[in-house]
Amino acid sequence: MAKNLTTRAEDYSKWYNELVVKADLAENSGVRGCMVIKPYGYAIWEKIQAQLDKMFKETGHENAYFPLFVPKSLFEAEEKNAEGFAKECAVVTHYRLKTDPDDSTKLVVDPDAKLEEELIVRPTSEAIIWNTYKGWIQSYRDLPILINQWANVVRWEMRTRLFLRTAEFLWQEGHTAHSTRSEAIQESELMLKVYAEFAEKFMAMPVIQGIKTESERFAGAVETYCIEALMQDGKALQAGTSHFLGQNFAKAFDVKFATKEGKKEHVWATSWGVSTRLMGALIMTHSDDNGLVLPPHLAPYQVVIVPIYKGQEQLDLISEKAFEIKSELENLGVSVKFDNRDTHKPGWKFNEYELKGVPLRIAIGPRDLANNTIELARRDTLEKSIVNLDDLAEAIPKTLKDIQENLFNRAADHRTKNTNKADTWEEFKEIINGDGGFVEAHWDGSAETEEKIKQETKATIRCIPLDAIEEAGVCVYSGNPSNKRVIFAKAY
RNA sequence: CGGGAUGUAGCUCAGCUCGGUAGAGUACUCGUCUGGGGGACGAGUGGUCGCAGGUUCAAAUCCUGUCAUCCCGACCA
């Protein structure tokens, strides 16, 4: 049992906070609402980045970088977008400090260094990017533009939580420009597929693909596509969004291109992003009361070797064997850490690596040396087995594959068990106020109904699933006719 | 921005009611024994009690102000 980790049943939220800190993923910083991502946590983010980056490039995108600051006049150009983010913007108003005349050890903002025009620290980059694209696009020959940016953004949130909602967060944002409406829609749908594939194959996290209702739509978008995942505590988490922006930004920034026929038309746009919030999703999908559980595809190291020994002589013998195993596994593409620190005892290390979610642990002691075996422990099931050294090259990759699949199946099973249909308002409230989870219910399509349901139950429409089945029904709240079910849940 | 709470050792906190030598656990350092699930014993390091005023012979403790953080709401990837 991990020492001092609150259990999920006791207090899920507390469990999450403790886990993030104790697994060495991140911690709160001296800056309000901003986190420090620690090396182990950042290593997971780098795995996420590397895989997504590969997938973006395979679908024809290139990386670029745009400025952190957005002049206010550009920011306000697309009205809905500006309005949507206005309440959570950090604003730079001055460019210089000076020594406090009343206290030479202190600095004050120099009132003479006020900026002519305020700079907004980007909450998202559509404005600065479309202002740039304007200069890049004249003809249909310049299209499409398929660019992604890895960056940090700032949204001044009232209440923050490590990874789930921080004032500054890391993300990627794709911004594409197209000559036709249908090509842009295809692009946003393609990137939604990329996100879904990443979530399911690499994070081992099943997601529902769908579109947002008007009230949940990205400010400035015509359509927002999303992937929604269900966390262990029955709350939903929006894991990624892909927006079809129509011609909104092209019109706001006057970006036109000449068609083959020589006519001038506004450009069609998309934007899409996922953030360090995925780290939160990963944690709340798989981890348990002993700590983090990582899918092998995203683990900074997939196997840890813990030596069990008495005295330097034994350690030397075991180390020799451990290094052999390490290089044998690395040749198979398995990442391995050999923890030969003499400063911690084996039992301590077992707990430590369980807390950090390392998928497989190998323990080798004198007993094993004598028998030509190792002890293999799986993080997902906590099962231990004795494996003959000769079988290791086969057993390890196979078990890693098993773990990856098992984690997905477990999460999918949890989602299935926590997805329920509600046909009456009573049923609906009972589920939402009970165990939560996804609720499939008919909705009359009106924003008023959506808002009333939100006010009465705190549940929101997570999405209208892309694969929703056409079926006649009546709205669970208003009784008005509806032709398909949408997904409701309380959300993070 | 409304409601509640808290600032004391690296961390978690006690001490404050009733003013009088700055405490515990943990972590850290050293030593010995240990080593197949967070070891034992011994010794040691570590503090401007958030900050600024005030009352007092004397303030972590009482008073005033201030700053910060956390929790619950409204907002949100």
Side-chain angles (χ1 to χ4, degrees), chain A residues 240-491:
Chain A
T241 48
S242 180
H243 315 290
F244 168 57
L245 302 173
Q247 294 172 310
N248 292 345
F249 283 88
K251 284 177 180 162
F253 290 92
D254 191 31
V255 186
K256 288 181 184 164
F257 71 101
T259 65
K260 278 184 191 172
E261 294 77 31
K263 279 193 258 171
K264 292 271 188 187
E265 283 180 18
H266 282 113
V267 174
W268 299 85
T270 82
S271 69
W272 28 274
V274 298
S275 70
T276 36
R277 191 179 224 205
L278 287 180
M279 297 283 293
L282 194 61
I283 296 162
M284 290 195 290
T285 300
H286 303 303
S287 301
D288 62 23
D289 292 344
N290 295 315
L292 190 62
V293 176
L294 289 173
H297 282 327
L298 298 178
Y301 35 89
Q302 298 164 314
V303 176
V304 64
I305 302 175
V306 177
I308 295 154
Y309 60 93
K310 198 170 172 177
Q312 188 63 40
E313 230 171 276
Q314 271 188 9
L315 176 59
D316 289 344
L317 284 171
I318 291 165
S319 290
E320 198 181 325
K321 187 57 78 181
F323 280 118
E324 269 175 41
I325 295 170
K326 186 170 191 283
S327 61
E328 184 185 6
L329 291 176
E330 280 169 350
N331 286 336
L332 296 168
V334 176
S335 51
V336 182
K337 172 176 173 162
F338 173 41
D339 186 353
N340 59 357
R341 287 178 299 174
D342 190 38
T343 50
H344 296 283
K345 296 182 53 172
W348 191 93
K349 291 178 185 174
F350 291 170
N351 282 287
E352 173 75 0
Y353 292 112
E354 256 160 39
L355 202 46
K356 292 182 129 184
V358 180
L360 280 178
R361 183 186 72 230
I362 290 175
I364 324 177
R367 220 156 63 199
D368 298 296
L369 283 187
N371 300 333
N372 197 43
T373 56
I374 53 98
E375 182 192 78
L376 187 63
R378 284 174 69 138
R379 179 62 185 89
D380 60 336
T381 58
L382 298 170
E383 287 165 355
K384 289 193 270 197
S385 57
I386 303 295
V387 179
N388 194 291
L389 271 179
D390 304 328
D391 302 333
L392 212 55
E394 196 183 329
I396 299 283
K398 184 185 172 299
T399 311
L400 287 172
K401 192 162 169 277
D402 276 358
I403 294 173
Q404 184 79 30
E405 285 170 11
N406 180 46
L407 289 180
F408 179 84
N409 291 337
R410 225 157 65 170
D413 192 45
H414 172 263
R415 189 182 71 178
T416 305
K417 285 189 179 132
N418 290 281
T419 300
N420 294 291
K421 287 190 166 84
D423 290 314
T424 67
W425 184 233
E426 288 310 310
E427 255 177 355
F428 185 94
K429 282 192 292 190
E430 201 182 310
I431 301 169
I432 290 291
N433 296 330
D435 291 340
F438 284 147
V439 179
E440 298 172 326
H442 281 281
W443 165 60
D444 63 16
S446 79
E448 294 75 36
T449 299
E450 189 183 4
E451 180 59 26
K452 279 182 180 153
I453 292 175
K454 184 179 176 182
Q455 278 174 7
E456 287 188 34
T457 65
K458 287 182 181 165
T460 50
I461 298 177
R462 301 322 303 153
C463 70
I464 304 162
L466 293 184
D467 61 2
I469 298 158
E470 291 282 328
E471 85 178 10
V474 293
C475 174
V476 75
Y477 186 82
S478 70
N480 292 331
S482 146
N483 63 358
K484 61 184 147 190
R485 289 173 188 270
V486 300
I487 306 284
F488 285 89
K490 284 188 192 167

Side-chain angles (χ1 to χ4, degrees), chain A residues 141-266:
Chain A
R141 291 191 181 91
D142 299 322
L143 297 171
I145 292 178
L146 304 172
I147 282 180
N148 175 63
Q149 147 165 284
W150 289 98
N152 58 339
V153 288
V154 169
R155 296 182 188 174
W156 213 263
E157 300 290 352
M158 290 298 179
R159 294 183 56 213
T160 59
R161 284 188 77 191
L162 293 170
F163 290 118
L164 294 174
R165 187 175 303 109
T166 46
E168 178 196 17
F169 57 92
L170 304 184
W171 77 344
Q172 59 69 218
E173 45 182 329
H175 295 272
T176 68
H178 306 266
S179 55
T180 65
R181 176 189 164 87
S182 68
E183 189 185 298
I185 290 176
Q186 265 178 36
E187 166 75 9
S188 36
E189 290 177 351
L190 171 69
M191 296 324 284
L192 185 76
K193 294 279 177 292
V194 166
Y195 287 155
E197 188 187 336
F198 174 77
E200 300 199 332
K201 288 199 177 151
F202 292 86
M203 296 177 70
M205 178 176 77
V207 291
I208 292 180
Q209 302 176 45
I211 56 171
K212 287 290 185 191
T213 60
E214 191 181 347
S215 61
E216 297 275 331
R217 196 177 285 157
F218 177 73
V222 173
E223 194 83 273
T224 288
Y225 296 83
C226 64
I227 52 172
E228 291 285 328
L230 187 64
M231 302 294 102
Q232 293 168 342
D233 63 344
K235 286 170 82 175
L237 187 92
Q238 177 176 306
T241 48
S242 180
H243 315 290
F244 168 57
L245 302 173
Q247 294 172 310
N248 292 345
F249 283 88
K251 284 177 180 162
F253 290 92
D254 191 31
V255 186
K256 288 181 184 164
F257 71 101
T259 65
K260 278 184 191 172
E261 294 77 31
K263 279 193 258 171
K264 292 271 188 187
E265 283 180 18
H266 282 113

Side-chain angles (χ1 to χ4, degrees), chain A residues 3-72:
Chain A
K3 197 164 63 176
N4 296 332
L5 186 61
T6 300
T7 63
R8 290 170 295 173
E10 274 175 74
D11 186 340
Y12 194 80
S13 168
K14 200 172 170 194
W15 165 84
Y16 174 87
N17 290 334
E18 285 181 11
L19 178 51
V20 170
V21 173
K22 291 189 173 171
D24 233 8
L25 302 176
E27 62 187 33
N28 277 307
S29 71
V31 190
R32 195 209 77 105
C34 297
M35 64 179 163
V36 172
I37 305 177
K38 299 187 74 178
Y40 191 66
Y42 200 78
I44 299 170
W45 176 240
E46 284 179 317
K47 289 264 175 187
I48 292 174
Q49 274 188 308
Q51 181 56 36
L52 282 171
D53 201 63
K54 182 166 172 256
M55 293 169 91
F56 296 158
K57 283 168 182 163
E58 281 167 1
T59 45
H61 302 86
E62 297 176 298
N63 287 331
Y65 189 78
F66 297 85
L68 170 68
F69 302 117
V70 186
K72 189 163 77 72

